[in-house]
Amino acid sequence: MAPGRIRPGGFLVPPMDIDGFRDGLRTMAPAAVALGVWGVVTGVAMVNSGLTVWQGVLFNLLAFAGSAQVATSPMLVSSTPLPVVWVAAALVNIRFLIFSAATSRSFTHLPRRQRLFAAYFNGDVPYAMFSGRFGIGAGDDYQVGFYFGITVINYTTWHVFCTVGILLGNLAPASWGLELAAALCLLAVMLPMLVNRPAVLGMVVAGVVSLAAVRLPLKLGLLVAMGAGLATCLLAETWPGPGTDPPPETPETMVHE
Amino acid sequence: MTWYLMLGFVGVALGAFICRSVFFGIPAHVELPPRVVRALKYAPLCALTAIIAPYVFAPDHTHLELTFSNHRIIAAAAAVGVYYWRRSMALMTVVGLLVFTALRLAG
């Protein structure tokens, strides 16, 4: 990547390429609509679980972890013991571990405080966009700019629309079932990852196991299904049949609008 | 705001930040094993599938509901169709929700 104009870094904000930042903004903009819907839905779901408006806003600002907030709000309202709440949230958030392992390799040239600052903004959509574009490997100023371009939109869109959802919470009754939007958003992120046979097999196994294990408590079924799907992908890649595609280096760009 | 809720929020937030940042804290000279990198390529697909599937096929989180009266399946199928037709995240979400709402109103 040819070096472009560089915005000097601050204490927490790393130096970044301005063209990369703009590239990130452009890449993320079309996804903001879907993300906004998802944010509204999360806000509605939290308030419909019984949190007040201010509790919902505070929880969202602190955690910035949509699915975990939706999962634990009803637990908190019903006074579930805190360790159970925390473990359940951590299990839902394990995917952040995976996302961070992949994305973090592009930030290793930065000082630790700037790396941790970048980490705070990582999430489902930034991960999908960033890995879809750059894969896993050493980063540069352009990639850092791209990342912050994506996360600026992701972070502000999320908080604005989640707050809107919290305020609208009582207006859109739970019977409308609009929380389906969350599943559809995740589906949109997931489909472009179906790039070869191991991926398709892994998806099938993860899906079937998640349904078979749906009654396990504390969302443990989620972990079991993830593990089974992942094992299937790796096995299918190790023993390729005729006509198997090479493993995905980088999935194609996530948003094609 | 009770201490209970406050502690609950802070604990969830800390857990989320730790999961996000663990690998960002690892210094540059530590290389991830190739096996881990390979697994990472497929992990998000499996995680997202495991989150979505129960949502669509087992809405009450206890049993499968593989019938036409489960509007989520039809709405999700429509959304997938729209995705492969137009490759648009926003459009597939909107169409999926519209189909779902239309089916709900039609009873």
Side-chain angles (χ1 to χ4, degrees):
Chain A
M1 197 64 68
R5 284 177 302 144
I6 305 294
R7 183 194 180 280
F11 182 70
L12 288 176
V13 182
M16 63 182 82
D17 183 291
I18 292 169
D19 290 334
F21 183 78
R22 291 195 179 136
D23 189 2
L25 292 181
R26 273 195 304 275
T27 305
M28 181 66 200
V33 181
L35 183 72
V37 175
W38 187 3
V40 169
V41 162
T42 300
V44 168
M46 281 164 63
V47 171
N48 282 0
S49 306
L51 292 184
T52 67
V53 167
W54 289 113
Q55 288 165 354
V57 169
L58 180 68
F59 194 12
N60 193 40
L61 280 174
L62 281 173
F64 185 45
S67 321
Q69 289 163 221
V70 174
T72 55
S73 291
M75 301 172 86
L76 287 167
V77 169
S78 60
S79 297
T80 310
L82 284 178
V84 176
V85 175
W86 293 333
V87 168
L91 291 180
V92 176
N93 283 332
I94 285 243
R95 69 188 192 288
F96 287 150
L97 206 60
I98 295 159
F99 298 165
S100 94
T103 314
S104 64
R105 298 301 92 187
S106 296
F107 293 82
T108 49
H109 60 294
L110 300 171
R112 172 169 303 196
R113 61 175 191 282
Q114 292 181 353
R115 296 203 303 266
L116 292 179
F117 180 73
Y120 172 71
F121 297 98
N122 204 9
D124 304 62
V125 179
Y127 163 73
M129 299 267 173
F130 190 84
S131 299
R133 180 64 169 274
F134 295 112
I136 297 157
D140 53 26
D141 291 337
Y142 190 90
Q143 293 188 19
V144 172
F146 185 86
Y147 177 82
F148 277 96
I150 286 173
T151 52
V152 159
I153 294 188
N154 184 63
Y155 191 77
T156 48
T157 306
W158 177 259
H159 281 299
V160 168
F161 283 90
C162 198
T163 306
V164 169
I166 288 168
L167 295 173
L168 289 178
N170 298 321
L171 299 180
S175 64
W176 288 11
L178 292 188
E179 73 270 17
L180 181 67
L184 295 177
C185 293
L186 296 176
L187 200 56
V189 172
M190 188 196 105
L191 288 177
M193 297 176 180
L194 292 171
V195 289
N196 59 8
R197 200 184 62 153
V200 173
L201 288 174
M203 179 196 69
V204 171
V205 170
V208 169
V209 173
S210 74
L211 294 174
V214 78
R215 291 189 206 212
L216 289 183
L218 302 178
K219 295 223 171 200
L220 283 171
L222 178 73
L223 282 187
V224 175
M226 274 175 64
L230 200 50
T232 306
C233 289
L234 293 177
L235 280 177
E237 201 182 65
T238 313
W239 293 315
T244 304
D245 293 337
E249 286 309 321
T250 52
E252 287 304 309
T253 310
M254 295 294 156
V255 177
H256 302 265
E257 285 177 323
Chain B
M1 185 79 60
T2 64
W3 281 109
Y4 167 80
L5 268 183
M6 201 60 212
L7 277 175
F9 292 165
V10 169
V12 173
L14 267 181
F17 182 68
I18 289 169
C19 286
R20 280 195 171 95
S21 61
V22 162
F23 286 95
F24 278 83
I26 296 176
H29 58 80
V30 178
E31 290 288 324
L32 294 177
R35 184 187 294 268
V36 173
V37 174
R38 213 155 54 88
L40 290 174
K41 289 175 187 166
Y42 294 108
L45 171 71
C46 298
L48 291 172
T49 304
I51 292 171
I52 299 168
Y55 218 94
V56 173
F57 295 104
D60 64 356
H61 281 273
T62 44
H63 16 48
L64 283 178
E65 201 184 321
L66 298 174
T67 64
F68 283 110
S69 61
N70 180 357
H71 298 156
R72 293 181 182 202
I73 296 179
I74 299 167
V80 171
V82 168
Y83 173 78
Y84 283 109
W85 178 43
R86 286 290 181 199
R87 303 275 163 166
S88 161
M89 276 176 87
L91 191 65
M92 76 173 274
T93 309
V94 170
V95 169
L97 284 180
L98 285 178
V99 167
F100 181 75
T101 304
L103 289 170
R104 181 176 62 81
L105 293 177

